[in-house]
Amino acid sequence: MNELGLSNQDINRIADAVANRGKRTEKEERDWRLRNTKLLLEKYRFLKAHCEGIPAEVEDLEETTTIFDVKALTLESLIEHKAKSLKLLRYFEGVIEAYRKISSAGQESSKRRFRAIDKLYLSEFPLTKNKLSKEEHVDIRTVERDAKRAIAELSVLLFGIKAALDDW
């Protein structure tokens, strides 16, 4: 027993719990990035529709506050949110374009992964995984693997080195 009244066994259990908490945090962070990448893909068409018709001047607005209070919801705050949405959309479209270029220079499997996310999430009329598997002449599990791997690759482009190191 030490001065806190803890045995060595108690101290070891606490140390193990703290060490495991760090591991869970890293896994949760990786899952968060993958979830957000997939969410951006799933909501891409809605975000694009939301940003249609936003004048160029709106994009230059300063990002001073984030408003979550309904009472504080004003025309000004709505315009600020549209400006943030437009910036996010443009960034995401730049990432998608970079991924398209990388994929088109790669092997056929790389090209197929880009086609998978393009046809499942980005196109105006998205396909189901089943229809895409028939169109690509591959098993539906291949489509699922391609989409999953493409989302992980996009996460690297979106979130940088931290996402890249998670695969190691």
Side-chain angles (χ1 to χ4, degrees):
M1 293 276 187
N2 64 11
E3 59 268 4
L4 296 174
L6 297 172
S7 69
N8 285 338
Q9 186 179 15
D10 290 337
I11 293 171
N12 288 335
R13 274 189 280 183
I14 292 169
D16 288 344
V18 169
N20 288 334
R21 179 184 166 116
K23 289 177 187 173
R24 277 193 302 262
T25 303
E26 289 171 11
K27 183 184 183 321
E28 289 168 358
E29 195 174 317
R30 179 179 63 246
D31 291 348
W32 170 85
R33 282 189 294 275
L34 292 173
R35 243 188 335 274
N36 280 353
T37 303
K38 187 172 182 184
L39 187 61
L40 274 171
L41 286 167
E42 289 172 346
K43 302 300 181 189
Y44 172 76
R45 291 183 325 280
F46 295 103
L47 182 61
K48 193 168 182 166
H50 171 75
C51 291
E52 282 181 11
I54 295 177
E57 311 85 63
V58 170
E59 187 179 0
D60 297 330
L61 284 178
E62 289 295 316
E63 296 177 19
T64 54
T65 58
T66 302
I67 309 239
F68 290 106
D69 185 3
V70 176
K71 291 180 255 178
L73 197 57
T74 64
L75 181 58
E76 219 173 67
S77 68
L78 288 173
I79 291 171
E80 287 175 5
H81 288 299
K82 282 220 177 229
K84 289 178 184 179
S85 296
L86 184 59
K87 287 178 183 179
L88 173 66
L89 178 66
R90 288 198 175 145
Y91 174 70
F92 188 61
E93 286 178 334
V95 167
I96 293 293
E97 180 59 20
Y99 186 62
R100 184 193 63 75
K101 287 178 182 178
I102 292 167
S103 298
S104 66
Q107 297 177 350
E108 182 55 36
S109 59
S110 182
K111 294 172 186 172
R112 190 182 63 231
R113 284 194 297 278
F114 178 80
R115 287 193 307 269
I117 61 160
D118 184 45
K119 292 180 180 184
L120 290 172
Y121 301 109
L122 304 173
S123 68
E124 187 177 350
F125 302 103
L127 298 178
T128 64
K129 290 178 182 175
N130 195 29
K131 286 183 181 178
L132 182 58
S133 71
K134 289 177 183 171
E135 187 176 295
E136 291 284 335
H137 307 290
V138 296
D139 191 81
I140 192 166
R141 291 175 296 213
T142 302
V143 169
E144 291 167 349
R145 276 192 306 271
D146 284 346
K148 185 177 179 179
R149 183 157 176 203
I151 290 168
E153 291 170 344
L154 272 173
S155 289
V156 173
L157 293 174
L158 282 168
F159 299 106
I161 191 68
K162 186 71 174 151
L165 293 177
D166 284 339
D167 289 337
W168 296 94

